[in-house]
Amino acid sequence: IGIKIAKKLYGRGAFQQEYQRRESQGLPPMADIDGQCYGSRVQGAPRKQWVELARAQPHKFLNVPNLHLSQAMIGRSLYVYPLEWWYALFPKQDLYFLCTEEMRDVSGEPVNKLGRFLGLPSYNFSSIISEGMYNVGGHKGYDKVTSWEEVAKEHGDENETLTIDQYQEEIKEDVPLSEEFRKEILEFFKPHNERLFELVGRRCSWDE
């Protein structure tokens, strides 16, 4: 439904050329996941389809009491679909894609690259990143830093002190998943992520 209604609403006008290009090259159409699967639509057809899917797969992650939770965790992790609309409307060279994980790089180089793309003066972000993370640990906004030590305690023993490098390694294993479920999740996201990587022209380390 996110595909059909999207084409009906946006198949002409600003996105008409992109729809025609995809059809002529046999590419998959764009989908409006946020517009059709959330908000006022959750009680309509998308929710009904999700319920039916969950019932048909009783042993899968889909079948949980809070269906909106699983919709949000899975549906909104399919980053390629909302981004395709931006890449259809603007030249690729005018958009900059940054993997969130790279912002933890204490060298500050990933953020520096973003700054150069935006035409900002060169700045050494390593000192700022070394202090910790922002907008985490119950501290909303970017006026309060949460030290790496505080962040580490939230993911382990409160008496444990981790270096930044140690924390980076530990966070990868922070969510306890069975190997079977981890494999299932990775296999599910793989084609969607590959579609994303092809769109933006680079990769993120999400298959680890």
Side-chain angles (χ1 to χ4, degrees):
I1 189 167
I3 293 175
K4 292 181 178 180
I5 293 183
K7 184 176 182 179
K8 182 179 180 180
L9 293 175
Y10 310 113
R12 297 181 180 181
F15 297 100
Q16 182 175 4
Q17 185 175 353
E18 177 64 13
Y19 269 99
Q20 292 174 343
R21 182 187 74 83
R22 288 171 176 264
E23 289 177 0
S24 65
Q25 297 181 16
L27 298 174
M30 294 188 292
D32 182 14
I33 292 183
D34 281 348
Q36 303 305 322
C37 297
Y38 300 99
S40 61
R41 296 291 302 177
V42 297
Q43 298 300 332
R47 171 56 64 92
K48 183 175 184 294
Q49 292 172 356
W50 195 275
V51 171
E52 292 174 351
L53 185 62
R55 287 175 178 170
Q57 305 287 339
H59 302 297
K60 300 295 184 180
F61 174 69
L62 300 173
N63 193 25
V64 295
N66 189 337
L67 288 177
H68 183 70
L69 175 62
S70 52
Q71 282 177 313
M73 293 180 67
I74 295 179
R76 288 178 176 167
S77 296
L78 303 177
Y79 304 118
V80 65
Y81 299 105
L83 283 178
E84 281 182 335
W85 296 92
W86 289 92
Y87 279 82
L89 200 58
F90 297 98
K92 192 171 185 176
Q93 63 269 21
D94 291 346
L95 297 171
Y96 190 86
F97 181 86
L98 177 69
C99 304
T100 306
E101 295 80 3
E102 296 171 340
M103 297 182 71
R104 295 191 180 114
D105 186 334
V106 293
S107 72
E109 184 55 23
V111 183
N112 257 327
K113 288 182 179 179
L114 173 60
R116 288 194 291 270
F117 174 80
L118 296 173
L120 299 176
S122 179
Y123 185 81
N124 182 3
F125 289 95
S126 61
S127 59
I128 295 177
I129 298 175
S130 296
E131 291 182 4
M133 300 176 68
Y134 293 82
N135 202 34
V136 298
H139 302 137
K140 295 183 178 180
Y142 298 89
D143 59 344
K144 170 67 176 178
V145 63
T146 301
S147 70
W148 288 106
E149 289 75 15
E150 289 180 85
V151 174
K153 287 178 180 179
E154 293 182 5
H155 296 275
D157 188 337
E158 62 178 13
N159 297 315
E160 183 179 20
T161 300
L162 301 179
T163 65
I164 296 175
D165 290 338
Q166 289 173 329
Y167 168 72
Q168 304 287 21
E169 287 300 315
E170 184 170 284
I171 197 66
K172 294 179 181 179
E173 301 298 329
D174 186 55
V175 181
L177 299 177
S178 69
E179 286 302 314
E180 181 182 4
F181 183 52
R182 182 183 295 274
K183 181 181 179 181
E184 181 181 339
I185 286 291
L186 290 176
E187 289 179 350
F188 171 81
F189 280 117
K190 184 175 178 60
H192 305 285
N193 286 340
E194 290 299 325
R195 181 168 166 175
L196 171 68
F197 300 152
E198 183 176 353
L199 173 71
V200 302
R202 57 160 309 180
R203 304 184 67 85
C204 298
S205 57
W206 298 337
D207 55 352
E208 297 178 357

